[in-house]
Amino acid sequence: MDERTVPIKAAKVSFDVIEALREREGAGVSELATALEMPTSTIHDHLRTLEQQGYLVKEDGEYRVGARFLELGEQARSRKKVYGIARPEVDSLAEETGEHANLLIEEHGLGVFLYKARGEDAVNLDTHAGMRVLLQTTALGKTILAYRPREEVEAILDEHGLPEITANTVTDRDELLDELETIRERGYALDDEERVQGMRCVAAPILSDDQEAIAAVSVSGPRSRMAGDRYTEEIPELVLRSANVIEVNMTYS
Amino acid sequence: MDERTVPIKAAKVSFDVIEALREREGAGVSELATALEMPTSTIHDHLRTLEQQGYLVKEDGEYRVGARFLELGEQARSRKKVYGIARPEVDSLAEETGEHANLLIEEHGLGVFLYKARGEDAVNLDTHAGMRVLLQTTALGKTILAYRPREEVEAILDEHGLPEITANTVTDRDELLDELETIRERGYALDDEERVQGMRCVAAPILSDDQEAIAAVSVSGPRSRMAGDRYTEEIPELVLRSANVIEVNMTYS
DNA sequence: GATAGAATCCGGCAATGGCGGAAATAATAT
DNA sequence: ATATTATTTCCGCCATTGCCGGATTCTATC
C-alpha cells in the first residue's frame, strides 16, 4: 500500500488542521485555509467538528488546541513503564549536574521526549515533553539507534534522511554507522552541537533483557560547561549510573 | 444546528476510536469494533490511518494511543499563562500540606486538571493531569462556577446534568446555586466526599481583573486528616494565600 | 454608517467512507 | 504436525457525505 495515501482522508485533514493550530499556537479559519491550501468552508467544517467534540477551543476569536489532548498524552506517557521508573532518576540527574536531563523514547522512527527536568543552571532550550526529533541528531537518539538491528537503522534513515541541522550534524550514513559501533563499545553517546548550536549532550541507553534500547537518558548543557573531563568522564559516569539504576528497576518491579 | 450531528462524521469516528483506545489502554480491531458497534473493516480503516499518521502505535499486536499526543497536550497546557505561574505555587502547597495539590481550568463546561503535585503523605488517587471532571462535583469546579454568570452556570448544568457520583454529591440545582453564593461570600469552596468517597478538598479561585475565575487551586486529602481546624481554617488559609500569589503574578508579568 | 475582511451557512455533485465478504494471518486446540 | 478458530487485513461496490463555490452573516475599522 502506498505510504502517502490513507484510507480515511477526512481524518488526515482534521489532524493536519490540528497540527497547523499547534504550530501557530492558535489561528483563524482563513489563516488555516491559506496555509493548508483548502477552501475556508472545508476548514470550517473540520474546525467545527473538532470544537464540538471538545478537542479544540475557541478563544478570542481564534481556534486553539484544547487541553483535552492532555488526557491522551498523559495516558500515552504513563502507560510506558519506563516513565514512572526513570522519572526520579532524571530528576536527580538534573539536580546533581544543574543542567537539563532528559528521557527519550522512539516512536515511528523519531525520538520523542517523554520527560525532561531542569537543573539550577539550565539554559533556556527549545525542548519540551512530547517534542519529536530526528534520532541521528541527538545523543539520545543515537544510543537508541546503536542498539537496533542494522536493517532497522537503515529503514529509519531511508525514511527520514540525514539532513544537516547544524554544521556538526552527521550527514554521512557510513560515518553514522561507525559512530553507532563506537557507542555500543563504550556504552554511551555524545552530541557535540549536532542539533543545537552551542549545546552538548551525553546520553546512555536503557536496555531491556534482550539488549534492545527501550529508551535513553541524557544530560545536556552549553559547550562552555560541558567540556574537558566533565564532558568525557564525570557526566558520562553519572548518566551511565542512572541508566543502570533504571534498567535494574525495570527488571525487578 | 443539532448538537449531536457534526459536519465531518469520519473525524468523529476516528476520535471515538482514539478515546476507546485510551479507556482500554490499548486494544485490537475486533475488540474496538464490538465496543463501538461498527464493522471491523471500518475500524481497521481508521486505525490504519491514525497509525500511519503517527498518532497510534502498534505494540504487541495491539493498537495504542501514541506519545505524539503529548506534543499536543503539552502545547495546550503551556500556552495557558496560568500554568507557568501557578505551577511552583501548587508544588509548594503540596509540600507544605503533604497532600495532593491541584490546578484546574474549565473547558467546554468541564473541569480539566492542568497540573497536580503530590505531597509526602498523599494517598493514591485516580486524578491525573488532563483528567476531566464535572465541575459541580469538586471544590475546584464549584469555585470556578461561583464566579461565572448565572446563565452560564445554568447552561453548563443543563448540558451535563447533576448526577449523583457519591452519596454526598449535590444533585439539587437550587442547593448548588446557594452553595455558589456561599463560596463567593467566603472566597473558597469545600468538597466533602462529593466526588470520591473518603476524600475532602479545599479550593480557591484564581480571578482575573474582571472577576472571572480563570482557574482554581486546591488541596485534597483523606477525611481523617482533612478535619477540624485544619479543614476549615489552616488549609483554606494556605489555599487562599496561594491563589492570591498567583493572581498577583498573573497581573504583573 | 460605510467598507472590508473574516467567519458561517447552504446546496449540489463527485469522491470516498462505510460496509459485507473474502483472503491472509495469528492463536489455539487437537 | 494439523485442524480449527479467532483476528486482522484486503477488496470492490454503493450510498453517503465530505468538499467546494458562492451567498450570507458577522465583526472589526475607518
Side-chain angles (χ1 to χ4, degrees), chain B residues 78-127:
Chain B
S78 42
R79 212 202 36 249
K80 294 257 163 205
K81 189 180 166 194
V82 70
Y83 171 64
I85 293 172
R87 200 179 150 148
E89 287 302 318
V90 174
D91 281 334
S92 61
L93 264 184
E95 201 179 338
E96 288 171 278
T97 61
E99 309 285 357
H100 285 275
N102 311 287
L103 176 69
L104 189 102
I105 58 158
E106 178 271 337
E107 208 174 274
H108 290 288
L110 292 173
V112 183
F113 283 96
L114 260 205
Y115 183 65
K116 70 187 323 314
R118 284 177 66 105
E120 285 251 27
D121 315 317
V123 294
N124 286 327
L125 254 182
D126 64 331
T127 51

Side-chain angles (χ1 to χ4, degrees), chain B residues 7 9 28-30 48 58 63:
Chain B
K9 294 200 182 150
V29 181
S30 24
R48 173 199 280 270
K58 224 159 107 182
Y63 288 92

Side-chain angles (χ1 to χ4, degrees), chain B residues 31-237:
Chain B
E31 185 181 345
L32 291 172
T34 310
L36 300 174
E37 298 181 67
M38 292 192 147
T40 55
S41 49
T42 301
I43 299 297
H44 183 258
D45 281 347
H46 285 270
L47 287 170
R48 173 199 280 270
T49 302
L50 294 169
E51 203 244 335
Q52 225 166 97
Q53 294 296 114
Y55 294 98
L56 300 181
V57 289
K58 224 159 107 182
E59 283 171 5
D60 314 318
E62 262 193 355
Y63 288 92
R64 294 187 187 153
V65 173
R68 183 149 188 200
F69 284 108
L70 208 52
E71 193 164 27
L72 292 165
E74 280 296 324
Q75 136 90 234
R77 169 153 81 173
S78 42
R79 212 202 36 249
K80 294 257 163 205
K81 189 180 166 194
V82 70
Y83 171 64
I85 293 172
R87 200 179 150 148
E89 287 302 318
V90 174
D91 281 334
S92 61
L93 264 184
E95 201 179 338
E96 288 171 278
T97 61
E99 309 285 357
H100 285 275
N102 311 287
L103 176 69
L104 189 102
I105 58 158
E106 178 271 337
E107 208 174 274
H108 290 288
L110 292 173
V112 183
F113 283 96
L114 260 205
Y115 183 65
K116 70 187 323 314
R118 284 177 66 105
E120 285 251 27
D121 315 317
V123 294
N124 286 327
L125 254 182
D126 64 331
T127 51
H128 51 87
M131 185 179 171
R132 300 186 301 158
V133 290
L134 287 174
L135 291 168
Q136 326 89 279
T137 62
T138 64
L140 286 157
K142 287 190 290 183
T143 26
I144 291 182
L145 286 177
Y147 294 85
R148 290 283 157 100
R150 166 95 180 223
E151 61 269 24
E152 207 181 315
V153 175
E154 299 274 10
I156 289 175
L157 296 180
D158 286 343
E159 193 183 344
H160 298 286
L162 290 113
E164 184 172 334
I165 309 294
T166 71
N168 284 16
T169 310
V170 181
T171 54
D172 182 75
R173 188 176 282 238
D174 291 329
E175 193 184 329
L176 181 66
L177 292 170
D178 282 351
E179 196 182 338
L180 297 186
E181 178 65 32
T182 313
I183 293 168
R184 272 192 298 278
E185 279 163 18
R186 75 178 168 210
Y188 65 90
L190 298 175
D191 160 5
D192 182 12
E193 307 186 57
E194 290 162 47
R195 194 185 67 83
V196 181
Q197 275 284 349
M199 289 294 289
R200 282 179 165 175
C201 187
V202 180
I206 296 162
L207 301 175
S208 63
D209 304 335
D210 50 346
Q211 298 294 301
E212 266 253 316
I214 53 169
V217 282
S218 76
V219 167
S220 58
R223 188 185 48 208
S224 54
R225 286 198 298 256
M226 301 284 281
D229 280 359
R230 192 165 188 254
Y231 182 48
T232 53
E233 290 185 25
E234 285 173 40
I235 303 267
E237 209 168 297

